[in-house]
Amino acid sequence: MNRENSRRSDFKKGIDAMEGRRRRTETTISLRKNKKDEGIAKRRAMPVAPAMPTAMANEKTAMNESTSSVSVESKKIYTAADIPQLKAALSQPNITDATLLDVVRGFRKILSVEQDPPVNEVLASGVLPAFVQMLQLNDKPQVQFEAAWALTNVASTDETKAIVDAGAVPFMVQLLSSPSAEVREQCAWCLGNIAGDSAALRDIVLSAGAMQPLIQNIVQPDNNSLFGNCVWTLSNLCRGKPVPHLSHVAPAVPVLAQVLQGKNDAAKTDALWALSYISDGDDDRIQAVLSTGIADLLIEMLGEESGIITPALRTVGNIVSGNDDQTQAVIEAGLMSKMQSLLNHPKRMIRKEACWVLSNVAAGTNQQISTVLRSKGCMQRVVEMAISSEWEVRKEAIWIVSNIATGGSDKQIMSVVEAGAIDAICSVLNVNDSKMLLVALDAIDCVLKLGMKLNKDYTSFVDECDGLTMIETLQEHESDEVYQKAVMIIETYFGAEDGAEDENLAPEANGNTFSFGVPQKPLDQEAECPATNGNMNAQPFTTFNFAN
């Protein structure tokens, strides 16, 4: 019994109301994605710089008449071959401001090439501490900007930790409050790359106090570019497993909710991903998101283009994996009105997520199960997907059917059977997935138990779709749990009736004599013996004495 309870706990199925909802489990997180549905964890700053602010333009003009030489030099194409020369210039005593700017800009250009930037060569030259020192030159915002840009591109590679080890993070956080919007943006960008590298580096950025100045730049941005980069960085601060403690990211939630009400689609997408990361966890994390009052807005966004739908649907899915009240909040916001279009969406992952959302609703109260069953065309589409869709989608659709079969009322189970549930469940009895086999067998057990209770011939339904044959085959399955469940179903619902054993299958003893294969009663004298077939000389049926 303990083993069975453990299995149910692992599966979090509807058969146990307390464990009926499944949370998203991601045992490994790839934080260096080129481009996935979850967006980009790291971004490289390419050679097109933001427009120079007036203050910087004035500073550049004031550089002891050397402006023209700097401007000309800035057009030079730098390569790794220039690293020794640039380092030598950087090492000169009493380096001028113009030369310093030219040198750091040269390094930045080397690190900005599109293909295979020579990051290791730059790091091997030993200039990284100099870049960190340049971040502290508050009277030289251009130099700070170029140094931050160079560090941003280092942080976009596998060498991110080198920047952290060099002590750059605290100075980057301080520069989030720089008078220069361009410096603030570039530092936010670099911190986003660092946070996107791993949960450990993300926590270092959070511990350095990056959250509040980032929020300030989002609430009062100088321009759209700064706003967008800060929202993206904020999203990375909420990202990764193990998730950051709720107290570290809670201040961001109302700000992210405000971003959703704006018109910047890219920022809204990043904000939605951030909310999906925050809500991925216990009920307290879910409630932190719901308390902002964005349930209606989230449901509305399920009708947007797919870039918005995916993170919105993920967030809604996390919410319905919470308690019954949290699930009810998104149902009342109009969730079911969007499900039909989501279940028919051309993108496979959206159909999968939609089924995942419904499976968690179906693991709720009977009232919540009814909202699924009453949604026009919903269960018919779910059954179709459970039988013939891609495997990732089929699995989630089977969970919907199983959660209703194992947790619904008698009437609800009958309703899902009428929608074709038995065909759907039996369709996965031949897959090589022990977990899903147990999910399907649990559902079959509950359906057949109801059939026995209400005297409905559900066993014939199972047999007609070859379910019985597949269950019999599962008696040879390598999983002991699958084997035991299959045996139990066969013995309970398909076993021979008491006393129904064929009398011709077993020999009957009569003293020392055993009779095989003949009815033990005298033949009618006028009836023709079937063994003789009219030939009285044929050998008759007889008994055999095996006694010594």
Side-chain angles (χ1 to χ4, degrees):
M1 185 66 180
N2 289 336
R3 186 177 182 183
E4 177 70 7
N5 287 338
S6 175
R7 180 179 70 75
R8 289 176 181 171
S9 177
D10 288 342
F11 290 174
K12 297 186 177 180
K13 284 190 64 263
I15 199 167
D16 183 341
M18 296 300 293
E19 301 291 350
R21 294 202 170 89
R22 298 172 299 133
R23 297 194 188 281
R24 179 170 307 279
T25 56
E26 297 171 350
T27 55
T28 58
I29 301 293
S30 175
L31 289 175
R32 290 191 178 93
K33 301 173 181 176
N34 289 327
K35 192 170 184 180
K36 297 280 187 181
D37 279 339
E38 292 189 21
I40 304 173
K42 291 188 174 184
R43 294 173 175 172
R44 292 188 64 239
M46 297 311 291
V48 179
M52 183 178 295
T54 302
M56 283 191 180
N58 292 338
E59 178 186 324
K60 181 176 179 181
T61 302
M63 285 184 180
N64 59 33
E65 303 300 319
S66 63
T67 307
S68 59
S69 63
V70 173
S71 178
V72 171
E73 184 66 27
S74 67
K75 295 179 181 179
K76 177 180 176 180
I77 298 175
Y78 288 90
T79 67
D82 295 306
I83 292 176
Q85 179 183 352
L86 290 171
K87 182 185 177 183
L90 192 61
S91 303
Q92 291 177 356
N94 302 319
I95 186 173
T96 65
D97 290 350
T99 302
L100 178 62
L101 178 61
D102 198 29
V103 168
V104 68
R105 183 175 288 152
F107 276 112
R108 181 264 295 171
K109 289 187 175 185
I110 291 172
L111 292 167
S112 296
V113 298
E114 292 190 34
Q115 297 296 328
D116 299 321
V119 175
N120 290 328
E121 290 88 336
V122 171
L123 294 180
S125 72
V127 298
L128 191 58
F131 291 163
V132 176
Q133 288 180 345
M134 293 178 203
L135 296 177
Q136 304 168 55
L137 302 177
N138 293 331
D139 60 334
K140 299 176 177 61
Q142 275 189 292
V143 173
Q144 288 178 317
F145 170 72
E146 293 287 353
W149 190 344
L151 290 170
T152 298
N153 285 351
V154 174
S156 71
T157 72
D158 292 342
E159 301 298 332
T160 311
K161 192 172 183 297
I163 297 175
V164 177
D165 292 342
V169 170
F171 299 113
M172 290 274 186
V173 170
Q174 290 176 17
L175 288 176
L176 292 176
S177 301
S178 167
S180 165
E182 280 67 25
V183 171
R184 296 201 303 272
E185 178 178 354
Q186 200 61 59
C187 288
W189 192 333
C190 188
L191 290 170
N193 277 346
I194 294 172
D197 182 84
S198 67
L201 297 191
R202 174 205 67 200
D203 289 343
I204 288 174
V205 176
L206 281 169
S207 297
M211 181 64 75
Q212 284 303 329
L214 267 180
I215 289 175
Q216 186 63 33
N217 279 290
I218 293 171
V219 173
Q220 294 179 317
D222 273 29
N223 54 67
N224 286 334
S225 180
L226 172 64
F227 173 76
N229 266 315
C230 286
V231 173
W232 172 77
T233 296
L234 185 57
S235 177
N236 271 1
L237 288 180
C238 301
R239 178 182 192 154
K241 296 293 184 72
V243 296
H245 194 276
L246 179 58
S247 62
H248 292 157
V249 295
V253 178
V255 177
L256 293 166
Q258 279 295 120
V259 173
L260 295 187
Q261 299 179 39
K263 296 181 179 180
N264 187 325
D265 286 345
K268 286 197 288 187
T269 300
D270 287 331
L272 283 168
W273 280 119
L275 291 169
S276 77
Y277 305 142
I278 294 171
S279 59
D280 186 8
D282 59 27
D283 290 355
D284 289 341
R285 300 180 73 89
I286 293 170
Q287 195 58 45
V289 172
L290 271 180
S291 295
T292 62
I294 62 170
D296 290 341
L297 189 55
L298 286 173
I299 300 305
E300 180 182 332
M301 289 182 169
L302 295 180
E304 301 286 338
E305 53 87 24
S306 59
I308 293 285
I309 289 176
T310 302
L313 188 57
R314 182 74 59 85
T315 306
V316 170
N318 288 338
I319 293 172
V320 298
S321 72
N323 60 45
D324 291 338
D325 290 339
Q326 290 167 338
T327 301
Q328 193 62 33
V330 291
I331 291 175
E332 292 176 358
L335 172 64
M336 297 310 300
S337 67
K338 303 292 185 180
M339 292 313 302
Q340 188 66 21
S341 62
L342 294 173
L343 293 174
N344 288 284
H345 199 278
K347 287 191 67 173
R348 171 180 52 84
M349 289 307 295
I350 289 180
R351 285 183 276 116
K352 175 190 173 183
E353 297 274 345
C355 286
W356 175 64
V357 169
L358 279 183
S359 73
N360 282 331
V361 175
T365 64
N366 284 351
Q367 178 186 357
Q368 289 165 355
I369 293 174
S370 292
T371 64
V372 177
L373 294 173
R374 288 198 306 264
S375 181
K376 185 177 180 181
C378 181
M379 281 312 302
Q380 287 76 10
R381 178 60 179 147
V382 167
V383 168
E384 289 174 7
M385 290 191 292
I387 294 173
S388 60
S389 194
E390 303 91 340
W391 175 237
E392 289 179 276
V393 180
R394 288 182 68 195
K395 285 170 63 175
E396 297 299 336
I398 288 295
W399 272 104
I400 300 170
V401 177
S402 179
N403 279 348
I404 297 174
T406 56
S409 65
D410 291 355
K411 186 175 180 180
Q412 288 168 339
I413 297 173
M414 290 169 59
S415 178
V416 80
V417 169
E418 291 172 3
I422 292 179
D423 278 347
I425 297 168
C426 290
S427 73
V428 298
L429 290 177
N430 59 354
V431 301
N432 186 26
D433 186 328
S434 296
K435 180 175 181 178
M436 290 311 300
L437 287 173
L438 288 167
V439 170
L441 290 171
D442 274 342
I444 290 172
D445 180 22
C446 291
V447 168
L448 295 181
K449 185 181 296 182
L450 178 65
M452 183 179 287
K453 173 184 173 182
L454 301 180
N455 197 28
K456 291 184 176 290
D457 191 16
Y458 289 159
T459 53
S460 292
F461 290 13
V462 174
D463 195 10
E464 288 169 4
C465 63
D466 295 327
L468 177 56
T469 301
M470 287 186 278
I471 295 172
E472 289 172 340
T473 302
L474 292 178
Q475 293 177 104
E476 306 297 326
H477 198 274
E478 60 185 8
S479 166
D480 185 57
E481 290 176 282
V482 172
Y483 155 74
Q484 290 186 20
K485 191 72 177 182
V487 169
M488 184 278 292
I489 289 174
I490 291 172
E491 290 181 348
T492 304
Y493 306 108
F494 298 96
E497 297 180 5
D498 293 340
E501 183 178 25
D502 189 339
E503 63 181 355
N504 293 327
L505 295 180
E508 181 175 314
N510 183 10
N512 291 328
T513 303
F514 293 83
S515 299
F516 290 86
V518 294
Q520 301 301 305
K521 60 183 180 180
L523 290 172
D524 189 327
Q525 294 297 320
E526 297 183 359
E528 187 176 88
C529 176
T532 64
N533 196 23
N535 180 5
M536 299 308 295
N537 294 322
Q539 182 176 346
F541 282 123
T542 185
T543 58
F544 297 86
N545 190 342
F546 292 103
N548 292 327

